[in-house]
Each structure stands twice: as structure tokens, then as C-alpha cells.
Amino acid sequence: MLAPAAPSFVADDAQAPSPEQAELRDGLLDDPAHIDPKFLYDALGSSLFTAITQLPEYYPTRCEAEIFQTHGQNIARHVGPVQSMIDLGAGDCVKAERLFARVRPKHYIPIDISADYLQAAVERLRLSYPELNVTPVGQDFSQILALPAGVPDAQRLFFYPGSSIGNLNPENALAMLKRIRAQCDGGGLLVGVDRVKPKQVLEPAYDDALHLTAAFNLNLLRHVNSVLNSDFDVADWRHVALFNSARSRVEMHLEAQRAVRVSWPGGKREFRIGDRIHTENSYKFTPQAFSDLLQRAGFQDIAHWSDSRGWFSVFSARA
Ligand code: AVI
């Protein structure tokens, strides 16, 4: 028997925007326009971010490494025994790898929106740690945190380093912490948090002399073009980074350098010279403010460690 003809609604469905396209279109049509920072991380964006972490101006990665180097033993003691280490936004997995010797997980679950980028890192880890059970997950965990079947539910450690939690607005950060806590099953969370400091330190970290952060921000437009089939020309835009002290966050924007018309299938938007697209917030916390946030999410037994300059903190908290 012949297979039935394809139903006629298939053609219409093929035209419907994907959820990502709809999200981008809605953000571009908003006033002011905005694009979610997750679109910074295509393969090139992820490589650019790795390069940013090596810049002299971008202190968070080095400060966090210093904390693990100096206080690793005390941190591991507070964390306690770990069966499964769940790495949120794992990227190249290097930060978690540095902790393996201290926390000795049996299962490692790196989760990252950029699945391709993760795959290369996982292949490397499997060679270096043949006994470690590695289960990579390509997922945007900002909305739903779905762990693969088979992750033991006892002694889970959620690892959320690099101050990535600062890229969520306060309401979403609280929701994320609550989701993590709900899946901790009596385990805990180890999270890196960037601290409030003078804008003379903050702004160069997001607007470096080599213009790597500018390239990282502008590359988002290329990623958007590939997802939305839009016609952004990177040369029409410039990178802007500023510290908004009232909101305790560094903001990244893309600013139109001339009048620009951007089109995509089924839509368009005109920008005047100087109009901005808001692309990222990076919230900065005092230790007290972050400790309060953890408590509001239901965590207890909260401890934190800082680098020698007090620029960055690592918090350990139990569910
Ligand atoms: C990934 N995240 C914590 C970085 C930050 O510092 O907010 C992203 C970044 N944006 C510009 N430079 C780095």
C-alpha cells in the first residue's frame, strides 16, 4: 500500500517562524530593540568568548581561577561528596576539569547551548578521564533545566561558574536558582559571581583595547542573520558597553552608525543613527545581595570565598 499523501498543512507549517525566529522578530520590533544574549554563542561567538577570557581587561576568569586555586580545599570540604557534577554553560569544560581532582565526580554532565562546541571538549575529556561517565547535553537551560535520564539523584553538584548567572535579570536569576534547587536532591550549588566595583574597572572589561568584545557583540548580528534570514550589515553597527550603576549591571548594546533598514522574511525594522539594540546585561552583586538571593531561592548553609582584590566571589550553598 502506498503511503498516504503528505497532509496539506505541511506547506503552511514550513512557513511558520520557528520559536527562535519569533523570539528574534519580537525583540527587534520592541522599543528599544533587544536580542537575547544566548545569540552571542554560535561557534565563532563561543571561540571569541574563550579569547575574551584571556584578555588583561577581562578579570572574572582569572579571579575565579585564583579563588579555586587558593581556597579549593575548603570549597571541596563545604561541597562534600559528589556523585554527579552538572556543569551549566560548560563551554570548553576547562573550569570543571580543574575541579575534578578536588570533588572527584563519577558522572559529569556538561550542558551548553552550543552543542557543537561542547562536543569537541567532551571528546577531549573522554580521552583524559576514561573512568568518568560524561553525558553532554546541548540545551538552552535558561527556561527549562532537563537532566538526561540516568543522572544519579544523590549527591548532585550544580556548577555554575564564570558569573553567567549575572547575565539573567534578577527575576530570572531567582527562578533559575529555584529550578536548580528543585533538582539538587539534597546536593548543592557552586556558583561564581562578579562583584560591584568601580566603572573604571568594569567598563574596560567589556570594551577592551583589542576590540575582541566588540567582535563578540557584532558577531551576534551574523548569527541572527543565519537564524532569521535577516540582512544585518555588521559595518552599520558599533559596540557600546557601559556600567549602569542604578541597576548594578554592565550593559552591552549595538548602536546604529547611520540610518539602517533591516529586513527578514515577513518583516523589517528601520533604525535611526544612534538607535541601539540591547544585547546583554551582566549584573554585579555585593556578597550580601547574592547571599540574600540564594536564601530566597531556598538554599541554606551558604559560604563564599573571594579573590585577593575582592573583585569576584564563589558561593557554595546546600539545597
Ligand atoms: C558569560 N558571561 C558571564 C560573560 C559576562 O561577563 O557577562 C559574557 C561576556 N560579555 C562580554 N564579555 C563577556
Side-chain angles (χ1 to χ4, degrees):
M1 199 179 132
L2 284 175
S8 59
F9 57 75
V10 167
D12 288 338
D13 256 17
Q15 311 261 317
S18 68
E20 274 197 325
Q21 289 171 328
E23 179 188 348
L24 283 169
R25 178 201 61 199
D26 293 351
L28 285 171
L29 293 175
D30 222 347
D31 214 9
H34 52 89
I35 298 175
D36 192 281
K38 70 184 174 201
F39 292 100
L40 290 163
Y41 299 93
D42 62 352
L44 179 56
S46 298
S47 299
L48 285 168
F49 177 63
T50 302
I52 286 170
T53 63
Q54 293 165 40
L55 290 169
E57 295 95 329
Y58 193 77
Y59 58 86
T61 315
R62 275 185 304 280
C63 289
E64 191 177 54
E66 181 198 318
I67 295 168
F68 284 122
Q69 180 78 33
T70 313
H71 304 288
Q73 206 175 344
N74 290 336
I75 293 173
R77 200 172 297 137
H78 191 268
V79 163
V82 174
Q83 278 275 331
S84 311
M85 182 171 180
I86 300 138
D87 189 353
L88 300 174
D92 59 11
C93 304
V94 167
K95 287 182 185 170
E97 190 181 356
R98 289 203 199 108
L99 273 184
F100 286 168
R102 295 257 187 223
V103 302
R104 303 190 174 283
K106 299 192 174 42
H107 298 260
Y108 173 57
I109 301 98
I111 305 182
D112 203 285
I113 191 168
S114 180
D116 295 346
Y117 197 66
L118 198 56
Q119 200 50 45
V122 165
E123 277 161 27
R124 182 179 55 76
L125 283 183
R126 285 195 173 127
L127 288 176
S128 309
Y129 305 89
E131 263 130 62
L132 184 67
N133 228 306
V134 184
T135 313
V137 181
Q139 187 188 92
D140 169 15
F141 57 87
S142 62
Q143 304 300 326
I144 301 164
L145 184 51
L147 294 184
V151 176
D153 51 14
Q155 298 175 339
R156 283 181 177 170
L157 173 68
F158 280 83
F159 183 49
Y160 198 11
S163 72
S164 297
I165 190 140
N167 295 132
L168 304 177
N169 69 37
E171 192 187 316
N172 290 345
L174 179 61
M176 167 71 84
L177 290 173
K178 284 183 174 169
R179 275 198 296 278
I180 294 173
R181 188 180 162 269
Q183 302 220 28
C184 261
D185 278 301
L189 166 69
L190 198 55
V191 55
V193 178
D194 198 12
R195 289 174 53 170
V196 178
K197 60 184 75 60
K199 77 176 196 169
Q200 289 75 7
V201 179
L202 287 169
E203 287 183 349
Y206 292 81
D207 195 5
D208 56 282
L210 273 184
H211 304 299
L212 278 188
T213 313
F216 175 62
N217 198 9
L218 287 161
N219 175 63
L220 165 142
L221 296 178
R222 294 198 172 150
H223 189 194
V224 169
N225 280 346
S226 73
V227 175
L228 189 60
N229 296 313
S230 51
D231 58 358
F232 276 104
D233 183 344
V234 167
D236 289 337
W237 300 86
R238 76 175 190 100
H239 166 69
V240 174
L242 51 95
F243 180 51
N244 180 337
S245 62
R247 297 189 140 168
S248 198
R249 68 191 194 195
V250 175
E251 299 176 0
M252 291 206 313
H253 301 261
L254 290 165
E255 188 177 285
Q257 306 207 80
R258 54 189 72 92
V260 175
R261 167 196 267 236
V262 182
S263 308
W264 57 89
K268 68 168 175 16
R269 164 111 197 219
E270 284 171 11
F271 295 91
R272 289 159 305 179
I273 183 168
D275 280 354
R276 288 179 178 174
I277 304 176
H278 191 167
T279 55
E280 189 189 63
N281 291 319
S282 195
Y283 283 85
K284 309 302 168 191
F285 296 86
T286 61
Q288 189 59 54
F290 197 75
S291 196
D292 290 349
L293 193 65
L294 285 168
Q295 281 180 38
R296 282 168 62 206
F299 283 97
Q300 49 194 325
D301 191 5
I302 298 166
H304 81 96
W305 298 265
S306 299
D307 60 295
S308 49
R309 289 182 292 196
W311 282 6
F312 199 92
S313 291
V314 169
F315 282 78
S316 171
R318 307 208 64 85

